[in-house]
Amino acid sequence: MLTLTAILVVALAGFAASAVRHVPIGQVHSLYRRGKPLRLLQPGTHWVLPGLDRIGHRIDLAGQVLRFEQPQTDSQELRGTVYWQVLEPERADAVIDEAAQLIRRSALDALSVEPMPSSADRRDLGTRMKQAINGVLRERGVMVTRVELEIA
């Protein structure tokens, strides 16, 4: 009887430990129940239902960095760095897995319609790229904060 009680206490302690989730500062976790979004867990300690609830995405609210390269027709290569950030985790949760590809594709699309910049107007092109990319990303809860370009 004592063994059964000890096993039961250990099982309950394990269940309680698996029900506690800690979200670090600077992150938001999306909580899913039965495969559907339930809510966002803000920084702090939260109780979840083990077996029913799972963490879908760990969304970092700090800035992210994405590098890209675009070969040009005149044997030059345009490289750049895009700095982006999640502003609205509720909206970004649906696209956070493909955010890097979406930003890269939007940056390359914006470059394809722009003429090849000289070294003097790289900053102006970066500003126009930032505005074009933000036009695509704003409704998804993500924003590009800065675009830096370099010609190789």
Side-chain angles (χ1 to χ4, degrees):
M1 187 66 164
L2 186 60
T3 307
L4 184 60
T5 306
I7 292 173
L8 185 60
V9 167
V10 169
L12 285 174
F15 183 78
S18 68
V20 176
R21 297 282 185 223
H22 178 75
V23 180
I25 293 174
Q27 286 188 1
V28 174
H29 293 182
S30 59
L31 186 68
Y32 283 71
R33 182 172 291 164
R34 296 185 186 137
K36 295 187 174 148
L38 183 63
R39 69 176 192 259
L40 292 176
L41 301 178
Q42 301 296 326
T45 304
H46 303 275
W47 289 91
V48 298
L49 297 175
L52 288 178
D53 296 341
R54 71 173 180 82
I55 301 298
H57 299 108
R58 290 171 172 81
I59 302 172
D60 190 2
L61 299 177
Q64 307 284 328
V65 178
L66 177 70
R67 303 254 326 136
F68 68 90
E69 295 181 8
Q70 173 70 21
Q72 300 294 323
T73 57
D74 54 356
S75 74
Q76 287 186 335
E77 193 168 271
L78 185 65
R79 295 186 187 121
T81 306
V82 177
Y83 299 88
W84 61 280
Q85 184 175 7
V86 174
L87 294 180
E88 298 177 55
E90 303 85 18
R91 290 182 178 184
D93 183 41
V95 297
I96 199 68
D97 289 334
E98 57 266 353
Q101 294 88 358
L102 185 63
I103 292 170
R104 181 174 282 116
R105 189 173 359 146
S106 298
L108 295 177
D109 288 347
L111 277 175
S112 67
V113 298
E114 293 288 339
M116 183 63 176
S118 66
S119 59
D121 62 2
R122 280 186 303 191
R123 177 178 248 160
D124 185 44
L125 176 60
T127 303
R128 289 194 312 267
M129 280 183 61
K130 176 180 138 182
Q131 291 170 348
I133 297 169
N134 279 336
V136 174
L137 297 177
R138 188 57 76 128
E139 70 263 4
R140 293 180 170 105
V142 178
M143 184 180 89
V144 171
T145 57
R146 187 172 75 204
V147 175
E148 292 179 353
L149 299 173
E150 54 190 63
I151 301 171

